Amino acid sequence: MSFPASAPLLSDARRALAVFAHPDDVDFGCAGTIAGWVDEGIEVAYLIATRGEAGGFDDTERAGIPGLREAEQRAAAAAVGVRQVEFLDGYLDGALAPTMDLRRDITAAIRRFRPDRVLTSSPLRRWEQLSGPSHPDHLAVGEAVTCAIYPDARNRFAHPDLLAEGLEPWVVREVWYFGGPSPDHAVDITDRFDRKVAAMRAHRSQTDHFEVEPWIRDRLTTVADNAGLPPGRLAEAFTVLRTE
């Protein structure tokens, strides 16, 4: 199973919501693209399902990890110009599933923010790369977001308690999937590479054990080369689908 070819992009997107499982997911995969959206005047917000309490590579006291990682994500968002960062409560790092509760909470965020575009992780596994993009939490969030986009967010009879909170139905028009099989929409982020690196370095609990700049440059060079971009360019890649 794979995605279809990417659709033509919206020409009038004004608001975008990025929904991911853990602090740092959005920055490792998409920070350069998001920096470009901000530069274009698109208002971007983040919704993170957990506070990443299962992450880290040192002996930092476990009880302090959620607050640390939340602060790191806010700093990383600021590095690319994103000011609005929300975290869900009640979901554990490593134990996410596309439950009705998670769908409801994502639907509520979509109806509050009313984005034209949603960016999330792929609900489809990459069998050639079981680590990273195919983390079960990433797949679960991708599936829950997909269900929240359709049918939940646009259906006034889904999660009826949201109407009582004043959250009216909303139609998301476009979804960008990161980390799925055969992504075919490459975004040249060469001119925003420094901001991506800054965002990644803000996640010190996750990146202090390796050299961020050469590691990510190598990966983005491969993406750009595979997309046929000129030598020396750097890119992030996605599948883009219309959801109207």
Side-chain angles (χ1 to χ4, degrees):
M1 179 182 294
S2 189
F3 287 117
S6 287
L9 303 187
L10 287 177
S11 61
D12 60 347
R14 293 294 177 263
R15 296 165 70 85
L17 178 65
V19 187
F20 285 87
H22 315 111
D24 81 18
D25 291 346
V26 65
D27 299 300
F28 272 71
C30 317
T33 297
I34 289 170
W37 292 351
V38 172
D39 291 347
E40 293 169 11
I42 296 174
E43 183 181 358
V44 182
Y46 293 171
L47 179 71
I48 312 299
T50 77
R51 288 172 172 80
E53 64 272 11
F57 294 90
D58 58 26
D59 57 0
T60 300
E61 177 64 36
R62 285 288 101 187
I65 290 294
L68 173 63
R69 297 203 65 190
E70 179 175 339
E72 289 175 344
Q73 181 61 85
R74 295 188 188 281
V80 297
V82 173
R83 296 181 176 86
Q84 182 174 335
V85 182
E86 295 183 5
F87 290 83
L88 297 179
D89 293 320
Y91 300 99
L92 296 178
D93 181 359
L96 289 175
T99 62
M100 290 303 295
D101 284 344
L102 183 57
R103 284 170 56 175
R104 182 239 182 241
D105 288 345
I106 294 170
T107 296
I110 289 173
R111 291 189 185 183
R112 276 197 309 272
F113 190 68
R114 304 172 79 80
D116 305 297
R117 172 182 293 164
V118 167
L119 167 64
T120 191
S121 49
S122 169
L124 301 183
R125 186 182 298 277
R126 289 177 60 177
W127 288 106
E128 83 284 6
Q129 188 177 354
L130 291 181
S131 61
S134 293
H135 188 296
D137 283 357
H138 299 175
L139 300 174
V141 165
E143 178 64 22
V145 170
T146 302
C147 295
I149 291 171
Y150 179 83
D152 296 0
R154 67 186 67 190
N155 180 2
R156 67 186 306 103
F157 303 110
H159 315 292
D161 58 308
L162 297 181
L163 290 177
E165 298 177 17
L167 297 175
E168 293 289 332
W170 179 256
V171 176
V172 175
R173 294 188 289 149
E174 184 181 81
V175 59
W176 289 47
Y177 289 115
F178 171 75
S182 305
D184 63 352
H185 179 72
V187 178
D188 188 329
I189 69 153
T190 310
D191 296 339
R192 297 177 292 279
F193 178 67
D194 289 348
R195 289 156 69 188
K196 180 178 176 74
V197 170
M200 292 178 63
R201 284 177 174 159
H203 298 281
R204 295 187 59 184
S205 66
Q206 311 304 300
T207 60
D208 267 2
H209 66 291
F210 70 98
E211 292 293 330
V212 169
E213 194 276 342
W215 180 83
I216 195 62
R217 182 181 291 276
D218 180 66
R219 286 172 174 252
L220 298 183
T221 296
T222 299
V223 172
D225 290 346
N226 289 343
L229 298 183
R233 308 306 290 180
L234 306 170
E236 296 169 339
F238 307 89
T239 297
V240 181
L241 302 180
R242 297 295 286 271
T243 54
E244 295 172 287

